[in-house]
């Protein structure tokens, strides 16, 4: 399948957030020139390009906004040279509040950016400090207002929930403050403790670093109620949007579309095979320096893999999944429990069902494979 989407991983961060296990490179000074040249070279070495215009380009990280306006423009230019965007393409940059200003917004827009994903996470300074975020609540609110003032009418605000109770973070107040800034889209992330992160070490030494399962459920369902009451559609397990502002890039992943990944740790998919690049920045850079494809690995999906993915991806959005009539009895207990609905031959999970997504998807996959 020709690629419909391009993802560019920009790994640089000022420091590692306490919960983060992403592929990042902590740098006080970002080597923008080196990085941009390597992206251009990766495009050449892999002979990448497409005749069919792409729907979305997404600069994720890491912190792409740390590339600086010129670095961002050069990356987008290099990608667009090989992958011409459709006239209405969605071009997103992930940004930390520290990097958002009238000047940076103007430069991003000039480069073609028309969507910004803002990493706010909380409006509680104590929680932000615990998370090792570099911004405070005022800075986050200022950045959000700057996006609206700067003419970015498609932007998303990220929040983290299920923080440890000991922090005393008021989740309902954070959701209220987010809504007051009127983002067209909101993404939620439930805190989980991943290996080798600072909070994993804190947990090892006996500190409480995660909320309880009950707190997770309570906060998740509170967000669902508050945000839908404020007019957002809860269209995917972790995402809420105004009707025309759902993430088109992520929707590509959820619908099994083909995409190209550039930069360290970036994944790509051609409809059959998933490949990923060397995860560490130094390893990725070194392979490109040797004029080699910086591939780190690949897997060709079996029919069973693809079927399992279809179920999992279908259940995570309000698009739902076609349900064979003979499977209706199997899911009736889910309907009775309020975890799903079935209408017109399609099963859709409810928010309480999304809290059980993994086990429900596994159960349905097993049923379909019999
Ligand atoms: S800014 Fe994002 S990518 Fe960077 S360390 Fe924090 S959570 Fe990870």
């Amino acid at each position: 399948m020709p690629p419909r989407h391009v993802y560019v991983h920009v790994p640089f961060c000022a420091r590692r957030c306490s919960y983060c296990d992403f592929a990042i490179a902590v740098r006080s000074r970002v080597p923008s020139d080196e990085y941009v040249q390597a992206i251009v070279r990766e495009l050449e070495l892999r002979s990448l390009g497409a005749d069919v215009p792409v729907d979305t380009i997404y600069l994720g990280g890491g912190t792409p906004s740390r590339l600086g306006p010129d670095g961002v423009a050069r990356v987008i230019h290099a990608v667009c040279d090989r992958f011409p965007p459709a006239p209405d393409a969605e071009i997103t940059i992930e940004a930390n509040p520290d990097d958002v200003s009238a000047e940076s917004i103007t430069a991003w827009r000039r480069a073609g950016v028309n969507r910004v994903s803002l990493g706010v996470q909380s409006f509680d300074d104590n929680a932000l400090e615990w998370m090792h975020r570099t911004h405070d609540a005022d800075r986050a609110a200022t950045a959000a207002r700057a996006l609206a003032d700067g003419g970015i009418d498609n932007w998303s605000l990220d929040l983290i929930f299920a923080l440890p109770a000991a922090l005393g973070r008021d989740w309902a107040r954070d959701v209220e403050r987010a809504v007051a800034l009127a983002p067209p889209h909101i993404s939620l992330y439930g805190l989980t403790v991943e290996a080798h992160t600072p909070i994993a070490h804190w947990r090892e030494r006996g500190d409480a670093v995660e909320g309880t399962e009950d707190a997770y459920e309570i906060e998740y369902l509170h967000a669902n109620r508050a945000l839908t009451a404020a007019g957002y559609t809860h269209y995917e397990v972790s995402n809420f949007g105004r009707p025309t502002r759902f993430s088109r890039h992520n929707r590509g992943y959820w619908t099994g579309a083909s995409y190209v990944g550039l930069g360290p740790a970036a994944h790509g998919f051609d409809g059959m095979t998933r490949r990923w690049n060397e995860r560490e920045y130094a390893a990725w850079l070194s392979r490109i320096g040797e004029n080699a494809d910086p591939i780190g690995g690949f897997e060709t999906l079996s029919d069973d893999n693809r079927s399992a993915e279809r179920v999992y991806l279908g259940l995570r959005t309000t698009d739902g999944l076609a349900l064979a009539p003979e499977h209706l009895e199997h899911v009736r207990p889910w309907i009775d429990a309020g975890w799903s609905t079935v209408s017109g031959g399609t099963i859709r999970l409810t928010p309480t069902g999304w809290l059980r997504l993994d086990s429900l998807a596994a159960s349905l996959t097993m049923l379909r494979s019999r």
Side-chain angles (χ1 to χ4, degrees):
M1 292 196 288
R4 311 297 306 141
H5 310 275
V6 181
Y7 174 77
V8 186
H9 190 74
V10 186
F12 310 110
C13 290
R15 57 176 163 168
R16 186 174 284 278
C17 295
S18 60
Y19 53 86
C20 178
D21 75 334
F22 297 156
I24 66 163
V26 174
R27 296 284 188 280
S28 52
R29 289 172 64 91
V30 173
S32 291
D33 283 349
E34 175 185 82
Y35 172 82
V36 175
Q37 283 164 21
I39 288 289
V40 171
R41 192 72 190 117
E42 182 178 353
L43 285 160
E44 289 167 357
L45 285 167
R46 292 174 56 194
S47 305
L48 291 172
D51 300 330
V52 183
V54 294
D55 291 333
T56 71
I57 296 170
Y58 192 104
L59 272 57
T63 318
S65 54
R66 295 198 77 233
L67 273 182
D70 182 56
V72 169
R74 288 165 63 200
V75 168
I76 292 176
H77 181 74
V79 171
C80 292
D81 234 22
R82 299 275 183 148
F83 295 97
D88 67 340
E90 174 190 276
I91 303 183
T92 303
I93 183 171
E94 289 181 354
N96 267 357
D98 301 318
D99 301 323
V100 177
S101 65
E103 294 72 33
S104 58
I105 293 166
T106 303
W108 295 340
R109 288 187 65 189
R110 203 174 290 140
V113 169
N114 52 24
R115 184 172 185 272
V116 176
S117 175
L118 189 66
V120 170
Q121 317 310 352
S122 175
F123 294 97
D124 178 316
D125 284 342
N126 186 37
L128 288 168
E129 197 176 321
W130 180 84
M131 288 189 255
H132 291 176
R133 300 296 300 189
T134 54
H135 64 274
D136 61 17
D138 286 348
R139 187 76 196 84
T142 302
R145 284 190 283 268
L147 290 175
D149 293 347
I152 299 280
D153 62 1
N154 191 3
W155 62 281
S156 183
L157 186 152
D158 288 356
L159 288 176
I160 290 188
F161 68 101
L163 296 180
L167 285 176
R169 184 264 196 109
D170 185 337
W171 172 239
R173 185 169 167 273
D174 268 2
V175 172
E176 256 174 49
R177 287 199 66 180
V179 170
L181 292 166
H185 187 278
I186 295 178
S187 294
L188 303 185
Y189 296 91
L191 183 79
T192 52
V193 181
E194 305 296 341
H196 311 302
T197 56
I199 58 174
H201 297 304
W202 300 345
R203 184 166 71 178
E204 272 162 33
R205 69 173 189 225
D207 292 341
V209 293
E210 56 194 331
T212 62
E213 271 185 34
D214 282 353
Y216 189 104
E217 180 160 341
I218 288 166
E219 293 193 3
Y220 180 78
L221 295 178
H222 171 80
N224 166 266
R225 282 191 301 274
L227 295 176
T228 53
Y232 292 89
T233 301
H234 193 171
Y235 71 98
E236 192 265 350
V237 58
S238 303
N239 287 287
F240 299 75
R242 301 287 182 203
T244 58
R245 293 295 182 243
F246 300 174
S247 167
R248 286 166 55 193
H249 186 80
N250 286 341
R251 190 180 158 75
Y253 297 147
W254 302 328
T255 54
S258 61
Y259 54 92
V260 165
L262 298 164
H267 284 55
F269 181 58
D270 65 4
M272 289 293 289
T273 300
R274 185 165 293 121
R275 61 155 279 159
W276 51 92
N277 277 350
E278 290 280 6
R279 179 178 165 92
E280 300 304 325
Y281 177 62
W284 170 79
L285 192 65
S286 149
R287 293 283 293 278
I288 288 174
E290 293 159 2
N291 294 321
D293 180 339
I295 188 168
F298 69 94
E299 92 181 304
T300 299
L301 300 187
S302 65
D303 288 347
D304 285 350
N305 293 149
R306 287 198 293 166
S307 169
E309 280 202 359
R310 257 196 303 276
V311 171
Y312 181 77
L313 296 174
L315 290 182
R316 64 186 286 173
T317 75
T318 48
D319 288 349
L321 183 77
L323 185 75
E326 64 270 26
H327 294 159
L328 186 57
E329 277 318 298
H330 179 82
V331 303
R332 197 167 296 287
W334 305 2
I335 301 169
D336 295 343
W339 299 343
S340 77
T341 61
V342 176
S343 67
T346 298
I347 180 168
R348 294 178 179 84
L349 296 191
T350 63
T352 48
W354 277 330
L355 284 163
R356 297 158 178 82
L357 173 61
D358 288 351
S359 65
L360 300 186
S363 168
L364 205 49
T365 299
M366 205 178 301
L367 189 69
R368 285 161 57 115
S369 67
R370 278 186 201 147

